[in-house]
């Protein structure tokens, strides 16, 4: 049962609630017991004051304390009632007892000093429990001097115990009933609170069974990041499979021509040297085809959802390397990037994109290259906006500008395609295309515009992820 997260939480919460209820019940019982004792002390002390008011010292030589035969409280006058009165002298001798205390054999203090009060629980012949309250009194004699008496009132505990047991029963019923009700409420709350997790688990099972392509529905903000990352992983895995499938098809199609050439050469060529040369040429071509297609298959691995890499550090490393490459061409490099800006993806992808764009800027600039990052709006339109207190509104953009001749408007989309070069300085024309493919794999775009200094401005844009994480979001 404890393998279930819901059952674990419910078990621990219920155990804590039951322990708290038991402790609360114990504290309430002790408090009620104390209040009952204080009430009993006050009641018995009031009876002692009644006896004191009725008592008197006679004029006889023995100065015996005298009390009336019948007291105002009828229970003192009834044999075997539940209220008993006893008075003892300083020697501990019983000098008076009420009719109700006839033949009583109970434990109670024999002598107490003046003003001393004593409360205890006792029994009559170990059969009837009693509440016993005694108080020491000094009585001044008519002819001078004084004598000490101890007044003791005893009351049956039956009513006391009945009240205490009734309170305990109410506490038990109230606390345990309330605890069971709270456990039921907790169970319902847990089912409701953990329902999104169960929904995610069911959604993953649907994806595994092939009945769904992604997690559907809205999730609380605490789980939106998880559901979004799962959907991205599923989408990346699906696109990776599709890329492998397309690559294998392209590879098979590309190998048809060199294989056909080899097949025809075997049947038509008679010279061994010519056949060797033909075989070497076609095998080299096939090796290049295989290498190129494999590179395409792994060019965009799934984006990392666990950690990000710093954009500023990657830019600085590449700029430092390009200074050595273009040592004979002094280039003023300017960087304005938030130090906390992160790219949530493979660092190798970021380095590949930045390397191609920055190398292109250094190649075509005259004297300067500027790199700056800004927070941008989304919804399909690039527009710069100020960063709010809670971070970016939609995503971020990296502007790489040079002071070269720029790129004609009619060629700006073409140079981002594979095999198209912006000039005739050499190269295969795949650098910008590779950068574009990588960025699009992360859901972003690359745009070419005019720079403020007159050259070209390549803008790398990555949108913010759903659920709070971004393709590049500050920490």
């Amino acid at each position: 049962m404890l393998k279930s997260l819901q059952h674990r939480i419910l078990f621990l919460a219920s155990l804590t609630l039951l322990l708290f209820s038991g402790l609360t019940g114990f504290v309430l019982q002790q408090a009620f017991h104390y209040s009952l004792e204080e009430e009993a002390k006050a009641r018995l002390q009031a009876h002692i004051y009644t006896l004191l008011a009725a008592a008197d010292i006679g004029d006889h030589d023995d100065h015996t304390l005298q009390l009336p035969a019948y007291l105002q409280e009828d229970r003192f006058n009834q044999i075997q009632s539940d209220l008993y009165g006893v008075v003892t002298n300083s020697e501990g001798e019983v000098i008076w007892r009420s009719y109700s205390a006839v033949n009583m054999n109970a434990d109670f203090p024999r002598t107490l000093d003046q003003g001393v009060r004593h409360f205890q629980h006792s029994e009559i012949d170990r059969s009837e429990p009693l509440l016993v309250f005694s108080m020491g009194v000094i009585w001044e004699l008519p002819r001078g001097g004084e004598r000490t008496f101890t007044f003791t009132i005893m009351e049956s505990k039956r009513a006391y115990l009945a009240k205490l047991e009734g309170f305990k029963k109410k506490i038990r019923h109230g606390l345990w009933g309330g605890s069971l009700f709270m456990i039921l409420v907790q169970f319902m709350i847990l089912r409701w609170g953990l329902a999104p997790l169960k929904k995610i688990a069911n959604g993953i099972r649907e994806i595994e069974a092939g009945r769904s392509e992604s997690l559907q529905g809205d999730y609380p903000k605490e789980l939106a990041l998880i559901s979004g990352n799962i959907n991205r992983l599923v989408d990346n895995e699906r696109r990776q499979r599709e890329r492998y499938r397309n690559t294998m098809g392209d590879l098979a199609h590309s190998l048809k021509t060199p294989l056909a050439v080899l097949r025809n050469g075997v049947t038509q060529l008679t010279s061994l040297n010519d056949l060797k040369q033909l075989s070497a040429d076609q095998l080299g071509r096939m090796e290049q085809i295989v290498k190129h297609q494999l590179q395409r298959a792994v060019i965009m691995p799934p984006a990392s959802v666990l950690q990000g890499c710093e954009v500023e550090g990657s830019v600085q490393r590449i700029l430092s390397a390009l200074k050595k490459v273009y040592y004979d061409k002094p280039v003023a490099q300017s960087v304005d990037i938030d130090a906390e800006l992160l790219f949530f993806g493979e660092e190798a992808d970021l380095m590949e994109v930045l390397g191609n764009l920055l190398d292109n800027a250094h190649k075509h600039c005259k004297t300067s290259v500027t790199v700056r990052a800004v927070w941008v709006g989304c919804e399909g339109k690039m527009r710069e906006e100020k960063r709010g207190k809670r971070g970016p509104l939609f995503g971020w953009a990296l502007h790489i500008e040079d002071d070269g001749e720029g790129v004609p408007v009619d060629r700006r989309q073409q140079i981002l395609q594979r095999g198209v070069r912006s000039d005739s300085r050499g190269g295969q024309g795949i650098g910008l295309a590779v950068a574009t493919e990588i960025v699009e794999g992360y859901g972003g775009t690359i745009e070419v515009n005019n720079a403020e200094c007159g050259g070209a401005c390549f803008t790398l844009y990555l949108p913010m992820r759903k659920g709070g994480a971004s393709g590049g979001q500050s920490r």
Side-chain angles (χ1 to χ4, degrees):
M1 180 186 71
L2 296 183
K3 291 183 178 180
S4 168
L5 181 61
Q6 177 176 325
H7 292 163
R8 287 184 181 184
I9 297 176
L10 181 62
F11 173 77
L12 292 177
S14 301
L15 180 61
T16 302
L17 179 62
L18 293 177
L19 291 176
F20 177 77
S21 298
L23 180 61
T24 302
F26 174 77
V27 172
L28 290 177
Q29 288 180 17
Q30 294 300 312
F32 187 72
H33 184 267
Y34 175 78
S35 66
L36 284 181
E37 283 195 345
E38 292 300 312
E39 179 186 350
K41 289 178 184 179
R43 184 173 60 254
L44 297 181
Q45 183 172 280
H47 288 306
I48 287 180
Y49 290 151
T50 300
L51 292 181
L52 288 174
D56 192 13
I57 293 291
D59 294 333
H60 302 286
D61 293 337
D62 58 357
H63 301 293
T64 303
L65 186 68
Q66 298 178 356
L67 284 98
Y70 292 93
L71 298 175
Q72 185 176 0
E73 175 60 57
D74 289 337
R75 289 185 295 169
F76 284 122
N77 307 321
Q78 300 174 5
I79 298 177
Q80 296 182 345
S81 68
D82 58 353
L83 186 64
Y84 315 95
V86 176
V87 179
T88 58
N89 58 20
S90 58
E91 288 77 25
E93 299 174 346
V94 177
I95 62 174
W96 179 88
R97 66 176 67 207
S98 65
Y99 280 110
S100 59
V102 174
N103 299 324
M104 173 180 282
N105 182 18
D107 296 329
F108 52 88
R110 298 297 181 179
T111 58
L112 292 177
D113 294 333
Q114 179 187 11
V116 176
R117 293 172 173 81
H118 180 75
F119 179 81
Q120 68 178 26
H121 298 260
S122 183
E123 292 182 347
I124 300 177
D125 297 329
R126 298 183 178 180
S127 60
E128 182 178 359
L130 297 174
L131 298 174
V132 181
F133 186 83
S134 301
M135 183 173 68
V137 177
I138 290 183
W139 208 287
E140 293 183 358
L141 301 178
R143 299 177 182 179
E146 56 187 23
R147 297 193 67 179
T148 301
F149 301 97
T150 300
F151 285 72
T152 300
I153 299 295
M154 294 169 285
E155 186 180 46
S156 174
K157 285 181 65 175
R158 288 192 295 269
Y160 175 93
L161 294 175
K163 288 182 180 180
L164 185 61
E165 184 61 29
F167 181 79
K168 289 181 179 179
K169 186 177 297 185
K170 290 180 180 179
I171 286 292
R172 286 196 298 268
H173 292 169
L175 287 179
W176 297 124
S179 298
L180 293 177
F181 174 75
M182 289 303 300
I183 290 174
L184 178 61
V185 172
Q186 287 178 352
F187 175 74
M188 300 302 296
I189 291 175
L190 283 175
R191 283 184 61 88
W192 177 73
L194 296 178
L197 290 177
K198 186 176 181 181
K199 182 179 179 181
I200 287 180
N202 293 334
I204 293 176
R205 282 194 289 268
E206 292 293 315
I207 294 174
E208 291 175 345
R211 293 188 291 267
S212 177
E213 294 185 352
S214 63
L215 295 178
Q216 305 295 328
D218 296 328
Y219 294 90
K221 63 179 181 180
E222 293 83 1
L223 298 179
L225 177 60
I226 297 177
S227 62
N229 285 337
I230 291 176
N231 283 336
R232 274 185 291 276
L233 289 173
V234 173
D235 183 63
N236 283 331
E237 191 273 339
R238 185 182 301 110
R239 285 190 290 135
Q240 188 74 12
R241 290 201 312 267
E242 183 68 22
R243 188 160 49 250
Y244 285 146
R245 187 161 47 248
N246 294 338
T247 300
M248 293 301 102
D250 294 344
L251 179 61
H253 183 271
S254 300
L255 291 176
K256 288 182 179 180
T257 300
L259 288 175
V261 172
L262 285 175
R263 186 181 301 108
N264 294 333
V266 170
T267 57
Q268 296 178 7
L269 293 179
T270 58
S271 172
L272 182 59
N273 292 331
D274 293 341
L275 183 59
K276 287 182 178 181
Q277 183 63 39
L278 178 64
S279 299
D281 293 341
Q282 297 306 315
L283 288 175
R285 182 182 177 188
M286 292 170 65
E287 183 179 2
Q288 292 179 352
I289 292 174
V290 171
K291 184 182 299 184
H292 173 69
Q293 295 296 345
L294 290 179
Q295 182 182 6
R296 286 188 59 196
V298 299
I299 195 170
M300 288 183 293
S304 172
V305 297
L306 299 179
Q307 61 183 1
C309 53
E310 296 180 355
V311 177
E312 183 189 27
S314 300
V315 170
Q316 294 289 2
R317 288 197 298 272
I318 294 176
L319 290 177
S320 178
L322 289 175
K323 281 185 178 181
K324 300 176 182 178
V325 175
Y326 296 93
Y327 66 92
D328 58 342
K329 181 181 181 180
V331 177
Q333 299 174 340
S334 175
V335 179
D336 181 15
I337 301 176
D338 188 344
E340 294 185 347
L341 185 65
L342 297 180
F343 171 75
F344 285 89
E346 297 292 338
E347 186 176 12
D349 288 346
L350 178 63
M351 297 293 288
E352 178 73 18
V353 173
L354 293 177
N356 284 319
L357 295 179
L358 291 173
D359 179 68
N360 184 76
H362 280 72
K363 183 185 299 182
H364 295 281
C365 75
K366 295 178 181 178
T367 60
S368 67
V369 172
T370 300
V371 184
R372 60 187 177 90
V374 295
W375 301 108
V376 299
C378 190
E379 303 300 335
K381 182 179 180 181
M382 298 290 296
R383 58 185 180 87
E384 298 183 10
E385 292 186 359
K386 294 182 179 180
R387 182 184 179 187
K389 294 182 178 180
R390 297 185 179 180
L393 298 178
F394 296 101
W396 61 274
L398 189 70
H399 299 291
I400 300 177
E401 302 175 350
D402 63 73
D403 60 348
E405 298 178 358
V407 181
V409 177
D410 58 348
R411 289 187 57 81
R412 290 177 181 176
Q413 293 299 322
Q414 296 179 6
I415 62 174
L416 299 178
Q417 300 174 7
R418 184 177 296 271
V420 178
R421 300 192 301 271
S422 60
D423 58 14
S424 58
R425 299 183 185 181
Q428 298 177 344
I430 64 172
L432 294 179
V434 170
T436 302
E437 292 174 2
I438 293 176
V439 172
E440 289 178 351
Y442 286 97
T445 60
I446 293 181
E447 293 185 358
V448 185
N449 297 288
N450 292 328
E452 295 179 358
C453 55
C457 175
F458 285 79
T459 301
L460 162 65
Y461 168 71
L462 285 173
M464 185 176 70
R465 294 178 178 177
K466 293 182 179 179
S470 171
Q473 183 180 358
S474 64
R475 290 173 290 190

